[in-house]
Amino acid sequence: MSEPEIVFRTRDGQDMSTTLAEFEDDGEGMPEGLQTPAPGTRYAPPLSIVYRPSDPTVVLATVDAREWAADSHTAPRAIAMIIGGLAVTLFAMGWLTRDARRRGLTWWKWYTDAPAKNPR
């Protein structure tokens, strides 16, 4: 499916012709080519749309706007990123302090005290 063409009239009576923004690229079994979506498909007429009155050139199908507003993907991804970042941080802290722990020093002394002179 390519960019669906939308023709509508705004509340103030202005006729608009634009493409559908943020649409789902799924042909839903329709053959290739320029045609009206089949009844019962996602973008079948009459298509319910939403647009910003200040910029009616950006049009979303209501079904897409609802899915966008529900946003069920951001929270799980954010939690996974936090857990992953914490795991990387803990690993890095352990790796960076391994030499200090081998010498029996506390990690803050290892990184704040001047290095000892090695006698030869």
Side-chain angles (χ1 to χ4, degrees):
M1 181 162 93
S2 64
E3 298 176 353
E5 182 78 19
I6 302 295
V7 179
F8 66 100
R9 183 172 299 208
T10 63
R11 288 184 185 205
D12 61 359
Q14 183 181 5
D15 288 330
M16 294 296 299
S17 176
T18 187
T19 57
L20 193 61
E22 303 296 328
F23 65 94
E24 185 174 315
D25 193 8
D26 181 11
E28 298 180 311
M30 299 282 294
E32 292 293 321
L34 186 61
Q35 58 196 329
T36 302
T41 59
R42 186 177 188 98
Y43 303 114
L47 180 62
S48 177
I49 62 169
V50 293
Y51 64 91
R52 214 178 281 158
S54 62
D55 184 13
T57 60
V58 179
V59 177
L60 288 157
T62 304
V63 66
D64 294 333
R66 280 193 196 114
E67 285 181 7
W68 184 80
D71 191 16
S72 61
H73 302 291
T74 300
R77 287 179 185 159
I79 291 169
M81 288 175 66
I82 290 169
I83 291 171
L86 181 61
V88 168
T89 302
L90 291 175
F91 174 77
M93 286 175 58
W95 185 76
L96 290 171
T97 61
R98 79 181 191 285
D99 286 335
R101 286 182 282 115
R102 285 183 189 160
R103 291 185 171 91
L105 300 173
T106 56
W107 66 269
W108 59 86
K109 287 214 174 258
W110 176 250
Y111 288 105
T112 58
D113 291 351
K117 304 267 186 199
N118 290 333
R120 290 188 189 208

